[in-house]
Amino acid sequence: MNENARPTLPAAVIRPATAVDLPTVVRIRNNAVEHSTALWTHQLVDLSTVTGWLGDAATAGHAFLVAEVDGVPVGYATYGRWRPYSGFRHTVDDSIYIEDGHHGRGIGIGLLSELITHARQAGYHLMVADIEAGNTASIALHRKVGFEVSGTVPQVGTKFGRWLDLTIMSLQLEEDAPPRD
């Protein structure tokens, strides 16, 4: 065996989230809140809040997915309305979070690919990703599946005592078609 070969890691299974997965979602989300600039908030979530998200996703017909490895959830992803105004009703934004220690294993691309498939099947026109400009891993992940940078807004947010820039990426989900008003 090649000494430099990386061990084969078990593949992630992507599936719809259930109530059993929600404590893991809470832990992953709160870790991102406390230790990263992926979420520009200091507000931690609890099981009740995340249970509401799962219900809201189901009611709206949006995907709420988990990735599991060896039967253990290690990441989650969902999409929702990008803005609350009716003119934006054909546009959704994605959210993807992976548990520490599981990055770089293809889990993010698996989750994002499934979100895109679901949003296309649901008839959405555009998916947006709002990403902290220094999060090169998330930007690269989105580029891999066809997202393009639409622009960067400098110093639009703050966390950990510094200004943050927001890179906005987008992916057209359907061929050019007239809006469905």
Side-chain angles (χ1 to χ4, degrees), residues 103-116:
H103 295 96
R105 298 174 59 179
I107 295 168
I109 202 160
L111 285 166
L112 183 53
S113 296
E114 287 296 319
L115 284 183
I116 292 166

Side-chain angles (χ1 to χ4, degrees), residues 5-51:
R6 293 174 68 178
T8 302
L9 300 171
V13 173
I14 310 297
R15 61 171 176 74
T18 67
V20 173
D21 303 312
L22 299 184
T24 301
V25 170
V26 169
R27 185 180 69 248
I28 293 169
R29 167 79 178 207
N30 286 342
N31 184 63
V33 168
E34 292 179 314
H35 303 288
S36 79
T37 56
L39 289 158
W40 298 4
T41 182
H42 298 288
Q43 183 72 43
L44 299 177
V45 297
D46 59 17
L47 189 57
S48 174
T49 300
V50 175
T51 300

Side-chain angles (χ1 to χ4, degrees), residues 39-123:
L39 289 158
W40 298 4
T41 182
H42 298 288
Q43 183 72 43
L44 299 177
V45 297
D46 59 17
L47 189 57
S48 174
T49 300
V50 175
T51 300
W53 294 349
L54 183 61
D56 292 346
T59 299
H62 297 160
F64 195 130
L65 307 172
V66 295
E68 63 178 36
V69 174
D70 290 333
V72 178
V74 297
Y76 76 93
T78 189
Y79 69 82
R81 292 183 67 177
W82 185 55
R83 297 285 184 264
Y85 305 107
S86 63
F88 296 112
R89 69 188 172 282
H90 303 294
T91 302
V92 293
D93 68 340
D94 69 75
S95 295
I96 303 165
Y97 298 94
I98 310 297
E99 191 158 35
D100 286 346
H102 293 276
H103 295 96
R105 298 174 59 179
I107 295 168
I109 202 160
L111 285 166
L112 183 53
S113 296
E114 287 296 319
L115 284 183
I116 292 166
T117 297
H118 190 281
R120 279 188 170 128
Q121 290 171 347

